Amino acid sequence: MKAKYFFAAILLSGTFSLLKGQSVLYGVTSSGGSNGYGTVFSYVAGASSNTVRASFNGTNGINPTGGLLEARNGILYGTTLSGGISSMGVLYSFDPLTDSLKALVNFNGTNGSGSYSGLIQASDGKLYGMTSAGGTNGGGVLFSYSLTTHVYSVLINFNGTVTGKNPQSTLLQATDGKIYGTTLNGGANNYGVLFSYDPQTTNFTDLYDFTDTYGRSVIGNGMIEGKNGKLYGVTDAGGTNGNGVIFCFDISISGYTPVFYFNGSTQGSGPRGNLLQLSNGLFYGTTSMGGVNSQGVLFSFDPVTFNYIVRTSFSGANGATPHGGLVLASDGLLYGATSAGGSAGNGELYSFNPISFVFTPKVSFTTSNGSIPEYGALVPLSPAGLNDQSALNDRVNVYPVPCSRSFVTLDLKGRGYEHLSLCTMQGKEIISWPLEPGVNDRQLQVDVSGLPEGIYFLSLLSAEGMTVKKIALKR
């Protein structure tokens, strides 16, 4: 007899990877490496060193600042601030199987120039991003790039007052299908705007014009969608104390609300990395300045009670001036990087335990292994084609592969599994469910009918350890 489990696909804003019992994280530095133009590096969670996988050489870009995106084809993509044919930056790809780094699009001014922003892959399969300058009005562009046709398209030319200008944050596609983003400048008050873009209708809407009173200057990773369906983000400046705010935007009513004002001295100031929401509902993030050492803090924030707690103050020796976001790895630790500090002053890769609150410096960037990681969180993925060949994984059969049906079937072989979860290749958990006693002697069917085409990771937890299987959905 088969046991069927049907799960609702509810998107949670936690990021993690469950691969061979430990995460392999990829990231970029904006300088350093063999040419001094920046690197792509990998890091095994818990290790004391990183590995440079590729160095930017000018032709394929200079100064990658916006972090990496792992697309559903297993390739990593990003943008650079400069370099390329016109020295205005590039959109590049990096293949973690071959360590091949190449420019796909050269920004030339007309099609945009100088991107600080990371990329997203929307439900239509295209990559979306922004440049901070260039375009028809010189205020930057919102663009798309097709991974199948390799066509780059300028969708919006930011013009200043109406649409905002100079975006320096990463976009977000919310569960309503619209793409949301912010600009640094422009809008009614010249402090930037919060906008939506509908990829189906091509409608652009200015939803909110930032003010100095309630927070301004969004820089870095952009917004996330919380468990409650609302968007959350941080501003680098403005607010009651002038040190930035945590804000909430309710897309159902287009309502913007500051929910926390940074005070600078003890709580930090100038947050730039995106927030990360864990399964306990708490947000974790960093500020680039302020705190007891004036070099930034790592904090937690409860969006229900508004309780804010500084968990770590950066001191310089343990890192300073974090600009990027955090990621949750399979060892249960948060990982991030600072843009300064460490033993060489070029930044520090660190871990933080959200249970014991222990902060641990892991790797100091020394120029040869990269220097000055900027915006963008680390990206968890498998360095071996996203395949896991561990002995535990051989005990579970998953079929069909690839799957074009409404469910996938698991043969559990009586291994005493206690918990099942499913996450996207970007690490967002969409299924989390305890398994009933006795189900392990049966076949388990997991409903995937509501999920789009792509690669997913299914994990099963038992007393023997973690079993992870890759699932490819074809539609």
Side-chain angles (χ1 to χ4, degrees):
M1 179 179 179
K2 295 181 179 180
K4 294 186 177 181
Y5 281 68
F6 296 96
F7 303 93
I10 303 175
L11 188 65
L12 304 184
S13 297
T15 307
F16 62 95
S17 179
L18 298 167
L19 301 164
K20 297 188 179 180
Q22 59 188 160
S23 293
V24 179
L25 310 176
Y26 279 71
V28 293
T29 63
S30 64
S31 61
S34 58
N35 304 301
Y37 296 151
T39 70
V40 177
F41 67 87
S42 64
Y43 171 76
V44 178
S48 58
S49 64
N50 68 325
T51 301
V52 173
R53 305 297 296 271
S55 290
F56 289 87
N57 60 19
T59 302
N60 59 16
I62 298 174
N63 304 135
T65 56
L68 293 166
L69 163 78
E70 183 182 9
R72 293 192 283 272
N73 60 8
I75 305 297
L76 300 172
Y77 296 89
T79 59
T80 69
L81 186 60
S82 58
I85 293 174
S86 302
S87 299
M88 296 182 179
V90 306
L91 187 159
Y92 64 87
S93 67
F94 175 77
D95 188 335
L97 296 181
T98 63
D99 289 345
S100 173
L101 175 64
K102 60 182 180 181
L104 302 176
V105 176
N106 284 274
F107 298 120
N108 59 23
T110 302
N111 67 356
S113 172
S115 177
Y116 291 87
S117 307
L119 298 166
I120 64 167
Q121 185 174 25
S123 56
D124 60 9
K126 295 180 181 179
L127 305 184
Y128 288 82
M130 299 186 289
T131 68
S132 182
T136 303
N137 307 299
V141 306
L142 188 155
F143 64 81
S144 68
Y145 178 77
S146 171
L147 296 180
T148 55
T149 65
H150 308 294
V151 173
Y152 174 93
S153 302
V154 173
L155 305 174
I156 298 294
N157 285 279
F158 292 101
N159 62 17
T161 303
V162 178
T163 61
K165 63 180 180 180
N166 310 129
Q168 292 189 17
S169 60
T170 300
L171 298 164
L172 163 74
Q173 186 174 35
T175 50
D176 64 359
K178 293 181 181 179
I179 293 172
Y180 293 85
T182 59
T183 68
L184 178 63
N185 300 311
N189 306 303
N190 202 29
Y191 290 136
V193 306
L194 190 158
F195 66 84
S196 68
Y197 175 80
D198 191 327
Q200 293 188 336
T201 66
T202 70
N203 287 335
F204 178 98
T205 305
D206 177 354
L207 299 171
Y208 176 75
D209 292 86
F210 288 100
T211 69
D212 187 54
T213 303
Y214 298 123
R216 61 177 175 84
S217 303
V218 179
I219 303 173
N221 291 15
M223 298 175 288
I224 66 167
E225 185 170 9
K227 293 182 181 182
N228 57 10
K230 298 177 182 179
L231 308 186
Y232 289 86
V234 293
T235 70
D236 182 62
T240 301
N241 306 300
N243 298 299
V245 309
I246 299 174
F247 67 84
C248 170
F249 186 81
D250 189 336
I251 59 179
S252 66
I253 60 173
S254 292
Y256 174 94
T257 306
V259 293
F260 182 77
Y261 296 90
F262 294 93
N263 70 9
S265 57
T266 57
Q267 299 167 337
S269 67
R272 296 188 174 187
N274 68 284
L275 300 169
L276 171 70
Q277 188 172 28
L278 301 187
S279 58
N280 60 6
L282 297 182
F283 290 121
Y284 286 81
T286 60
T287 70
S288 64
M289 299 176 290
V292 295
N293 301 307
S294 300
Q295 303 199 58
V297 306
L298 188 155
F299 65 84
S300 66
F301 176 73
D302 189 328
V304 177
T305 65
F306 306 118
N307 186 35
Y308 177 95
I309 300 175
V310 172
R311 299 297 185 179
T312 296
S313 291
F314 293 98
S315 63
N318 68 355
T321 321
H323 287 166
L326 297 164
V327 65
L328 176 62
S330 62
D331 58 5
L333 303 182
L334 307 185
Y335 287 86
T338 67
S339 64
S343 62
N346 297 312
E348 184 79 18
L349 193 154
Y350 61 85
S351 70
F352 175 77
N353 189 320
I355 304 300
S356 66
F357 312 127
V358 173
F359 178 97
T360 307
K362 290 292 186 179
V363 179
S364 288
F365 292 99
T366 61
T367 302
S368 61
N369 68 342
S371 177
I372 312 179
E374 281 286 355
Y375 313 122
L378 299 168
V379 176
L381 79 164
S382 164
L386 304 174
N387 289 316
D388 192 306
Q389 303 297 330
S390 67
L392 282 176
N393 281 14
D394 292 338
R395 299 175 180 178
V396 176
N397 291 329
V398 178
Y399 56 88
V401 178
C403 178
S404 58
R405 301 178 185 175
S406 61
F407 60 86
V408 294
T409 301
L410 288 70
D411 287 328
L412 299 182
K413 301 182 181 180
R415 292 291 177 179
Y417 294 105
E418 302 170 353
H419 190 272
L420 177 149
S421 66
L422 186 75
C423 68
T424 68
M425 208 163 66
Q426 286 72 36
K428 292 184 177 178
E429 187 179 46
I430 53 179
I431 289 174
S432 180
W433 205 262
L435 297 180
E436 298 174 0
V439 74
N440 295 277
D441 296 323
R442 307 171 183 175
Q443 288 183 327
L444 184 68
Q445 290 184 342
V446 180
D447 182 12
V448 293
S449 59
L451 301 179
E453 178 175 301
I455 302 296
Y456 296 83
F457 291 107
L458 188 149
S459 62
L460 292 156
L461 181 64
S462 72
E464 296 178 83
M466 183 72 68
T467 299
V468 181
K469 305 296 287 189
K470 183 177 72 172
I471 299 173
L473 300 185
K474 299 292 184 181
R475 302 303 187 202

